[in-house]
């Protein structure tokens, strides 16, 4: 784990000056994902209760074993967030690859992330989840904007950046 953090620091936080802000924003997005995963596990019961209430299933018709399964399912959301963490670390490592295909990969992931989190903001859920998703949209939107700057595009052509 320590080696993973060292590499993340070296390849993202201390990346080439042209892409360093992108690396730092992606690391920030990863940290937000970690905090979201932790909060999702801790607050799994309240998340599940909210959704069951919204769907009219809190009238006592569900047996307690079914509710336990629903609570467990919300705890498993952490798996999705862990895969996002691996995705972010993969993308941070791609910052050192100075090819147009890497630029397209980063751009497509950031645009997809903005679209996905934007969609989630408009789905019914607890307010704190919308705040986290809004932060993710802002971070990934900033990454997207930076990927369109001439300096970053020049970096990914393999040309020297002045």
């Amino acid at each position: 784990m320590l080696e993973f953090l060292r590499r993340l620091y070296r390849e993202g936080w201390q990346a080439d000056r042209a892409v360093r802000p992108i690396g730092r924003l992606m690391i920030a997005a990863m940290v937000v994902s970690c905090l979201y995963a932790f909060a999702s596990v801790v607050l799994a019961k309240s998340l599940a209760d909210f959704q069951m209430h919204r769907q009219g299933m809190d009238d006592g018709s569900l047996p307690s074993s079914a509710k336990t399964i629903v609570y467990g399912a919300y705890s498993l959301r952490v798996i999705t967030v862990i895969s996002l963490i691996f995705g972010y670390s993969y993308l941070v490592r791609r910052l050192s690859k100075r090819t147009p295909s890497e630029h397209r990969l980063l751009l497509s992931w950031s645009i997809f992330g903005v679209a996905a989190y934007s969609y989630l903001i408009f789905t019914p859920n607890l307010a704190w989840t919308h705040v986290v998703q809004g932060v993710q949209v802002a971070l990934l939107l900033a990454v997207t904007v930076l990927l369109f700057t001439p300096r970053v595009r020049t970096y990914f052509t393999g040309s020297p950046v002045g």
Side-chain angles (χ1 to χ4, degrees), residues 149-160:
T149 61
R151 180 180 176 107
V152 172
R153 288 179 29 208
T154 302
Y155 172 85
F156 281 105
T157 64
S159 303

Side-chain angles (χ1 to χ4, degrees), residues 125-146:
N125 214 332
L126 297 174
W128 69 268
T129 63
H130 294 303
V131 170
V132 172
Q133 291 154 356
V135 169
Q136 289 286 40
V137 166
L139 290 169
L140 292 176
L141 192 57
V143 167
T144 303
V145 168
L146 287 172

Side-chain angles (χ1 to χ4, degrees), residues 30 84 104 130:
M30 187 185 325
L84 283 173
R104 286 189 300 273
H130 294 303

